[in-house]
Amino acid sequence: SRRVAEISSFSGPPMGPFPRWAPKSRQRAVGALIACCVSAILTAACGEAPARAAATRPAVRIATGLPGASFRPLSEAILKGLRAHLPSIEFVPVDTAGSNVNLEHIQAGSADIGLAYSDGAYRAYIDELRGRGDRDAARAIAVLHPASVHVLVRSSAPIHSIGDLKGLRIAAGASGTGTAFTSETLLRFFGVAPPRELVQALSFEDSVDALMRGRVDAAFVVSSDPVESIRFATDAGARLVDISGDTVDQLLTEYPFFRRSVIPSHTYP
């Protein structure tokens, strides 16, 4: 079967060795895997409670993500479980654009818990070590799941690597999301420096729609599989681009949150 390459990462500060992901014979690799993690708790104290609950219950604010992305249903499930097991605490969702904005909320003190991809959490941790971030603002709680980096193109496009995107129109993820940060990192490593007018900050659904309508030439989507918008695109004839080669080896050396991985061949057409 067709093989497409992949990478992976884990959110939050380094928490020891990362697991190895072993390819199997009937799997194909795609994009990059990024582990999604409940990124941090800002302080031991809870945030200020809403007026209706201030007299009885403390509040914990949880930064979530955009509809259509994996963070939204995941955060809803976490909120449901926390509310069931800790009824004495008010858990308040904070709707955001996604990973990087969640980290900003935690650093600023406007959220207590947030979901974040490992690349953004790693960057925040390194900034802290270098004296550019708030000390003790972000700490990892747990790694929750991996999330693939998908690079989608139309089936007829002569694009077989991220390096082939030079001079082309790219949907690079909505501003403030993990997809936006990851796509910028990968484009830079593959020597692609698109001018601003060629980069569009679009959500998952809008990225796929723009690709299928011919408004962009490639779309980055970072999310756990299966992704409904990617399934729709591949059903309509789009394909995933291989991410592999010496450039990936260099990337894995410099960014330890990435790991090679595979997506089962039956996940998308």
Side-chain angles (χ1 to χ4, degrees):
S1 63
R2 194 161 53 91
R3 292 190 64 80
V4 193
E6 216 167 321
I7 327 161
S8 68
S9 71
F10 290 78
S11 335
M15 297 187 296
F18 295 112
R20 298 289 179 183
W21 302 86
K24 296 182 180 179
S25 60
R26 291 189 302 141
Q27 293 176 320
R28 70 179 179 190
V30 181
L33 264 178
I34 293 188
C36 164
C37 168
V38 173
S39 170
I41 293 183
L42 179 61
T43 63
C46 296
E48 184 178 350
R52 63 185 174 84
T56 58
R57 295 191 293 173
V60 172
R61 301 155 299 176
I62 301 181
T64 61
L66 289 171
S70 59
F71 279 11
R72 180 59 66 88
L74 179 60
S75 62
E76 289 173 349
I78 291 172
L79 283 164
K80 182 178 179 180
L82 290 173
R83 287 165 176 162
H85 287 85
L86 299 169
S88 62
I89 297 174
E90 178 81 3
F91 291 96
V92 182
V94 179
D95 292 336
T96 72
S99 177
N100 288 2
V101 175
N102 290 352
L103 287 165
E104 290 171 2
H105 274 290
I106 290 170
Q107 296 280 6
S110 51
D112 305 298
I113 300 174
L115 303 180
Y117 287 124
S118 54
D119 45 10
Y122 181 81
R123 180 182 59 177
Y125 181 69
I126 293 301
D127 282 348
E128 179 187 322
L129 291 180
R130 293 172 177 169
R132 296 199 296 264
D134 296 333
R135 184 178 180 187
D136 294 332
R139 287 294 177 266
I141 298 172
V143 172
L144 298 182
H145 66 78
S148 300
V149 174
H150 312 83
V151 182
L152 276 167
V153 298
R154 291 185 297 279
S155 59
S156 60
I159 300 169
H160 304 285
S161 165
I162 292 177
D164 294 335
L165 299 180
K166 293 178 182 177
L168 301 181
R169 301 161 300 171
I170 302 168
S175 178
T177 63
T179 295
F181 178 73
T182 301
S183 62
E184 186 277 330
T185 300
L186 290 172
L187 289 168
R188 175 164 46 83
F189 256 86
F190 278 84
V192 180
R196 184 171 299 180
E197 62 268 20
L198 291 181
V199 178
Q200 298 187 34
L202 301 175
S203 67
F204 290 177
E205 291 89 348
D206 290 343
S207 294
V208 169
D209 182 69
L211 177 71
M212 302 313 294
R213 293 177 183 272
R215 295 171 182 167
V216 298
D217 301 296
F220 281 80
V221 173
V222 179
S223 185
S224 56
D225 295 298
V227 184
E228 191 61 32
S229 56
I230 293 178
R231 182 173 288 164
F232 168 80
T234 52
D235 279 341
R239 60 181 172 83
L240 292 163
V241 173
D242 182 36
I243 304 178
S244 61
D246 294 340
T247 302
V248 172
D249 295 335
Q250 297 169 16
L251 177 72
L252 299 183
T253 299
E254 185 164 336
Y255 290 94
F257 46 79
F258 283 119
R259 284 293 182 271
R260 297 181 187 275
S261 188
V262 294
I263 293 175
S265 59
H266 56 77
T267 305
Y268 304 110

